[in-house]
Every structure is written in structure tokens, then in C-alpha cells.
Amino acid sequence: RDQWAKFFALDYYPHNRVDLYTWNDMNEPSVFNGPEITMPRDNLHKCSGDAYNIEHRDLHNVYGFYHHMATVQGHLHRAPNVRPFV
């Protein structure tokens, strides 16, 4: 999250400013050739350890959640007294 948040620093790119807002699009695994337009809900993921024992239905939105958290963190570092709009 810290690395992503650094991208929002005012000196990171020339047109950055305090009132520049962010649109994070989608931010979830996509599989466009299935009935659910995402990974099958019973798809197994390896999160820690050696076992693939976490179903996709349990962590479908985790990546997007942390991506948004890092974006908000970046906005707050850039302008601590301005409410982030993500």
C-alpha cells in the first residue's frame, strides 16, 4: 500500500493537485467467458502456507479493498486536511 500511495504525492507528476480525484476501476479478478463474469466461486486460492484452501467467494473483493485503502492513504498523504474522493 505504501508504494501505491507514493504515486499520489504532489511532486510525482506535473499535473497533480490537491483537488485531483481518483477512479479505481473494477479491481477484481475477471474471467469474461463464464456465466458469472468472474472466477468460479469455488475456485481455490493459496493465501498463506502451502494449501489452496480459500474459496474465491471468500476473497473476491479483497484486492479491490486494499487498492482503495492505498489510494485513500495516498490522498491523505498528499493533502491531510482534505477528505479523499475515490
Side-chain angles (χ1 to χ4, degrees):
R1 290 191 346 222
D2 291 335
Q3 181 61 42
W4 179 256
K6 291 177 185 177
F7 297 145
F8 296 93
L10 287 171
D11 60 351
Y12 187 76
Y13 60 94
H15 302 290
N16 197 355
R17 59 185 195 267
V18 172
D19 63 346
L20 183 67
Y21 307 116
T22 305
W23 175 275
N24 288 334
D25 191 21
M26 208 157 166
N27 302 318
E28 62 187 39
S30 305
V31 180
F32 293 106
N33 64 353
E36 298 180 27
I37 311 179
T38 186
M39 291 183 187
R41 293 180 184 181
D42 59 353
N43 190 40
L44 295 176
H45 296 275
K46 179 180 176 181
C47 293
S48 62
D50 293 329
Y52 288 85
N53 58 358
I54 306 295
E55 288 189 354
H56 182 67
R57 76 181 85 238
D58 295 326
L59 55 82
H60 173 75
N61 294 315
V62 170
Y63 178 82
F65 174 73
Y66 282 108
H67 190 191
H68 287 337
M69 283 179 61
T71 301
V72 168
Q73 179 180 332
H75 280 237
L76 289 172
H77 284 280
R78 179 179 67 194
N81 296 321
V82 177
R83 183 178 181 189
F85 185 82
V86 177

